[in-house]
Amino acid sequence: MLRHDRRKPIGEELLGRFLLEAEEDRARKERLFEAYLGKSTPDKGMIAEGRPNNHAYTNFAKYITDTATGYFAGAAPRYVFDDETEAGLFRKIFDENDESSLNYSLAESMSICGTAYDIVFLDEEAKIRIEMLDPREITPIYGEELGQGMIAAAREFMRYENGSWKRKGELYTEKERIFFENDGGRLRFTGKENNILGMLPITEYENNLFKMGDFEACMENIGLYNLLLSNASDDLQSIANAYLAISGMLGTTKEDIERMNETRIALLTED
């Protein structure tokens, strides 16, 4: 968990170190999303030339997440307000942002990789917008003192500019939004703007205390099951494509072979 003194600014060098430290967790989230989307394939090692090479994938990861999310967020939450004027304002914001669908997507992300994030901002018409963020792009930074939660968050992504892909990003704090570029590990700030909300606009949602996805603990078993299924399919296909060679039985007729296939009985001489 990355921590920082909230009274001190986060400079270019420190942010670069934070992002480098978070690479392993981002890779973990990427593997979990690939498993959910069915992009993972069993590692079968070297395959002999001419042998079948089937890759079965029973997507238990998606089944677990979809079932868990359906139970958890299938029924939208209800909100109770004491002030009817306040209730009207919030209902308007929720309706404009399709809050029910947003909550379901957040729950789905939590189930897949253990965390979910959304951001609050003002659009061109000064309306309040709430959007979900890709958790694979977010690096949360927490306060050092007890009771302090997330004090900043970096969002890093790839953007195509001038004929090549470049790594860009934004650092959000309570006071400002800082833009940066990360070129081969060398990070530099390119601009900033004030945060008119006066609070961290990104919220983190945790699936559990350890921020684990619902199928993360059984990823290895899912992989082994699909490997076993793939190898069994290879073996079955190999047998189906096999030829039976009978040596020294030139008197065997087609009718004899058909009779053995039907009765599963072969009459052999003593020698």
Side-chain angles (χ1 to χ4, degrees), residues 195-213:
N195 178 8
I196 61 175
L197 295 177
M199 59 181 291
L200 186 65
I202 294 179
T203 302
E204 180 182 49
Y205 304 90
E206 301 177 2
N207 193 42
N208 48 55
L209 179 63
F210 302 100
K211 300 182 182 181
M212 290 182 63

Side-chain angles (χ1 to χ4, degrees), residues 29-41 57-63 65-66 108 112 134 136 215 219:
K29 292 177 181 177
E30 185 65 40
R31 288 194 300 271
L32 292 170
F33 268 90
E34 287 182 354
Y36 176 79
L37 296 173
K39 295 182 179 179
S40 299
T41 56
Y57 188 74
T58 303
N59 200 339
F60 285 118
K62 188 175 190 304
Y63 174 79
T65 280
D66 290 353
E108 190 174 51
I112 295 172
D134 188 335
R136 294 167 289 184
F215 59 83
M219 278 280 288

Side-chain angles (χ1 to χ4, degrees), residues 246-253:
I246 304 177
S247 178
M249 296 294 290
L250 296 179
T252 304
T253 65

Side-chain angles (χ1 to χ4, degrees), residues 147-158:
Q148 289 183 344
M150 192 167 64
I151 62 169
R155 173 174 170 257
E156 196 175 19
F157 52 89
M158 300 298 294

